[in-house]
Amino acid sequence: MLANCLHDLTALGAGALASVALAMLMAGLAGGVTHCVGMCAPFVLAQAGSMAGRVGPGFVARLAGAALIPYHLGRIVGYATLGAVAGASAGVVSQVTGLRQVLAALLLLAAFLMARQALSRLIPARYHWWPWRRAAQGGLAPSYPAFLLRPIGRLLANPGGWNGLGLGLMLSALPCGLLYAALAAAAATGSALAGALAMLAFSLGTVPALVGVALLGRLFLRRSGPITQLAGGLLFLVNAVLLGTMAVRLVA
């Protein structure tokens, strides 16, 4: 049982992990340009500004500096770790109870949270009602306990190398609705390895938008307008339908 909870890639059925990973990649792409750029832009811009004086002239050098590879690697490791914990925990519950419905319920939860992300972008703001209103306004501003603010500040002051990796690890647990939706889908995979792979796909999907912010700065944020919100909402809606369909098939 323990081995299954750690390594099983077929808890949802053959080929289902690929579907979940694809859904998470799309969620990362959609969330990257409509959500993550708002919450993570201050951290990305601070690092990009600090790195600007360390790279040489030319577009390639500028792109290398904007990539912030250690930071994104830290985020990927952090997200994959959270996915592994979520997947293993759900796998234990599922195997102890013998109920595949546990995984189906998690898929439905992920579908609901993805639908919430979609509706907050597709429904005009004047028609929002609770609980969509807060998501439509960009979510809560990032907040950390006081004892974390000082180490985050030190890491931002010199963000390269291990400091960038540590910053990515710390910020990978930044509370947000999109992360909860992704973790619900990762938990539904039923194993640590599958959950980690699902969150790996999600985190890779968020990278392009954040690199765009680091490369273009506020210009990238200004370009993220209604069309981007519409496209992101449609992707989230596709994710919700895909995850909901998988949940129904799992218990059928």
Side-chain angles (χ1 to χ4, degrees), residues 58-68 211 215:
F59 177 77
V60 174
R62 185 181 177 190
L63 180 60
L68 301 176
V211 172
L215 188 62

Side-chain angles (χ1 to χ4, degrees), residues 7 9 16 22 27 49 77 95 144 148 151 156 184 195:
H7 306 297
L9 297 179
L22 176 61
V77 171
Q95 295 204 28
Y144 283 88
L148 288 179
L156 282 173

Side-chain angles (χ1 to χ4, degrees), residues 11-12 20 86-87 90 102-108 110 182-191 250:
L12 294 177
V20 173
V102 172
L103 302 183
L106 288 168
L107 283 173
L108 285 176
L183 285 177
T189 61
S191 80
L250 189 62

Side-chain angles (χ1 to χ4, degrees), residues 19 21-32 201-202 205 232 235-236 238-239 242:
S19 298
L22 176 61
M24 291 301 96
L25 179 63
M26 290 192 298
L29 290 170
F202 172 76
L235 277 177
F236 279 124
V238 170
N239 282 338
L242 176 59

Side-chain angles (χ1 to χ4, degrees), residues 27-70:
L29 290 170
V33 296
T34 63
H35 180 81
C36 297
V37 292
M39 292 197 72
C40 298
F43 304 113
V44 171
L45 291 174
Q47 293 178 84
S50 178
M51 296 292 291
R54 308 182 190 182
V55 297
F59 177 77
V60 174
R62 185 181 177 190
L63 180 60
L68 301 176
I69 292 176

